[in-house]
Amino acid sequence: MTRKLFRYRSFNTEIINVYSNVHQKLIGIEKWKFEAFEGIVYPSSPLYFNDPYDCDFCMQRDALEGILDRETLIQTLGKNFKLKKNEKNRILKTKNIENTIQKILQDHGASLNGSWMHVLQNGLNDCMSKIKNSVRVVCLSEVYDSILMWSHYAQNHTGFCIEYDFEENNMFYKRLHPVKYTKDRYAISKADMSNSNTHWIYKTICSKSDVWSYEKEWRIVTANFEEMGLKNLEGKYVFDLKTNIKAFYLGAKIAENFKKEIIEFGQKNNIHVYQMVLSPNTYDLEAEKII
C-alpha cells in the first residue's frame, strides 16, 4: 500500500549552514531548499501549534485523582501555602484526600470552593507539558487544492506544496496517524493511564476540533529520535523524506524566481511539477502539469 500526502510550505529564505557530502564542506542553503530539494524536514513541538487545544491533554476526574501521588500534591500546595510537617503527614496518610486538602486550606484561610479539579490540573500541567514537548510532529494533508490551506500555510498562495508517497515498507509509514475531528475533546481515563501502552498520547496528539476538519490532516508522530532522526549542525532533530518526494505544486501567486528554481530542480531529478490556477467558473483550485 502507498499513502499519498501533501505538505504546504512558504518560501523561508533564511540561510542555514549544513555539511554537504557532495562538496565535503559546510555550505549555506536557504531553509525552503533544504526541505524541498534535500528532503530534510524539521518536525515541530506541539507547544508551538496555532490551535491552543492542539495536543493539549484533557483528563477525566478519575485519571486526575489517580495520577498524582501525595508528594506531588504537597509540592503543588506548597507553592501557595507554607505547609506544616503535620499537615504534610496528614496528606500522606489520609484515605479521603479531597476532604483533608479542604480542611488544610481552611486552616490557611482558603478553601477549594469547588476548584479541587483545578488544583489537580495545576499539579499536572508541568508533567503534561514535558510529555507534550517530548514528541515531535510533521503535519501533512490528504489534499493539495484547499484554498484555506494555501492561504494559511503557503503564505497566501505564494508558496508551494510537496507531495510525498509513503510505501508500506517505509520507516515513516507505521508512524503516520490520521487526525480525528470531533466536537468533544478526547478525555484520558484512569484506565488509559494504568495501561502499559501509550495509545492515549497518540489519541490526544491526533485529536482536533471539527472546525479544522477541512485540513484532512495526517501526522508523523514520534519521540524515538535515535531510531528515526538525525541531528543537523544546530543540534535539532530532522527527518529525511527526500526519497518520498514525488511532486511539487506551485501556488497560484508564486513569484517567477521561485517557480523557475523548482521547475529546474524537477527537470533534473525527474519530479513532476504542477501549477495551481484559479478556476474561471468556480471557487476551486486546479492543478496544471508543467513537467
Side-chain angles (χ1 to χ4, degrees):
M1 292 179 62
T2 300
R3 173 69 60 184
K4 182 178 293 187
L5 295 169
F6 305 88
R7 183 166 163 85
Y8 295 81
R9 309 306 293 153
S10 60
F11 286 102
N12 186 338
T13 56
E14 174 190 351
I15 300 295
I16 56 176
N17 293 313
V18 296
Y19 185 80
S20 169
N21 290 324
V22 176
H23 299 90
Q24 294 295 306
K25 64 178 182 179
L26 281 175
I27 61 170
I29 185 172
E30 293 178 15
K31 202 166 185 177
W32 76 267
K33 292 181 182 178
F34 198 42
E35 182 168 355
F37 297 167
E38 301 298 325
I40 304 301
V41 175
Y42 288 83
S44 303
S45 165
L47 291 177
Y48 305 104
F49 285 173
N50 58 1
D51 176 5
Y53 284 110
D54 200 345
C55 301
D56 198 43
F57 293 91
C58 175
M59 298 284 184
Q60 294 182 18
R61 183 179 179 118
D62 67 342
L64 281 172
E65 293 176 340
I67 191 174
L68 284 181
D69 58 32
R70 301 301 173 89
E71 291 289 352
T72 304
L73 281 173
I74 291 172
Q75 292 174 16
T76 301
L77 291 172
K79 292 178 181 179
N80 299 299
F81 307 100
K82 188 174 182 180
L83 297 178
K84 300 174 184 177
K85 185 175 181 179
N86 71 310
E87 290 174 329
K88 294 179 181 179
N89 288 334
R90 285 164 60 191
I91 293 173
L92 291 172
K93 297 176 181 179
T94 184
K95 292 182 179 180
N96 189 333
I97 185 65
E98 183 170 358
N99 186 54
T100 300
I101 295 294
Q102 183 72 269
K103 290 179 179 178
I104 290 174
L105 288 180
Q106 288 174 354
D107 291 342
H108 287 269
S111 65
L112 287 174
N113 293 325
S115 60
W116 170 242
M117 296 298 290
H118 183 66
V119 173
L120 292 174
Q121 188 64 60
N122 283 343
L124 278 176
N125 282 344
D126 290 343
C127 176
M128 292 297 101
S129 291
K130 289 177 182 177
I131 294 175
K132 190 172 178 178
N133 195 37
S134 69
V135 299
R136 290 294 182 271
V137 179
V138 175
C139 301
L140 304 156
S141 173
E142 294 179 9
V143 297
Y144 61 85
D145 56 358
S146 166
I147 288 183
L148 287 176
M149 297 278 276
W150 278 103
S151 299
H152 295 163
Y153 303 114
Q155 208 168 359
N156 297 323
H157 300 256
T158 62
F160 63 105
C161 181
I162 305 174
E163 176 187 325
Y164 297 98
D165 282 3
F166 296 95
E167 303 286 346
E168 193 170 10
N169 60 358
N170 183 269
M171 66 183 295
F172 295 102
Y173 187 91
K174 63 181 179 180
R175 289 177 174 82
L176 282 170
H177 301 271
V179 170
K180 183 176 290 187
Y181 301 98
T182 62
K183 289 187 179 298
D184 299 314
R185 297 172 69 184
Y186 171 70
I188 300 165
S189 68
K190 187 175 181 178
D192 288 329
M193 300 301 297
S194 61
N195 199 315
S196 59
N197 65 46
T198 56
H199 73 283
W200 55 273
I201 296 179
Y202 290 93
K203 282 188 176 180
T204 297
I205 292 171
C206 295
S207 296
K208 294 182 71 173
S209 165
D210 59 4
V211 301
W212 300 95
S213 61
Y214 69 89
E215 292 187 343
K216 298 182 180 179
E217 186 178 354
W218 284 68
R219 291 178 165 180
I220 300 175
V221 181
T222 187
N224 191 340
F225 302 114
E226 297 302 321
E227 178 183 342
M228 289 193 62
L230 53 103
K231 285 184 178 180
N232 69 6
L233 295 176
E234 298 172 331
K236 295 180 181 178
Y237 288 101
V238 294
F239 293 163
D240 185 353
L241 298 180
K242 187 170 186 178
T243 59
N244 301 93
I245 295 176
K246 299 303 174 185
F248 295 106
Y249 295 78
L250 310 181
K253 298 193 294 183
I254 189 173
E256 283 299 319
N257 59 313
F258 292 130
K259 179 176 180 177
K260 181 181 179 183
E261 286 188 89
I262 291 180
I263 290 175
E264 289 178 351
F265 179 81
Q267 289 172 333
K268 291 178 181 178
N269 294 275
N270 195 30
I271 297 176
H272 294 306
V273 179
Y274 298 85
Q275 175 67 61
M276 303 306 295
V277 297
L278 305 181
S279 169
N281 303 313
T282 68
Y283 290 115
D284 297 320
L285 289 172
E286 298 174 354
E288 293 184 352
K289 189 174 182 179
I290 300 175
I291 57 172

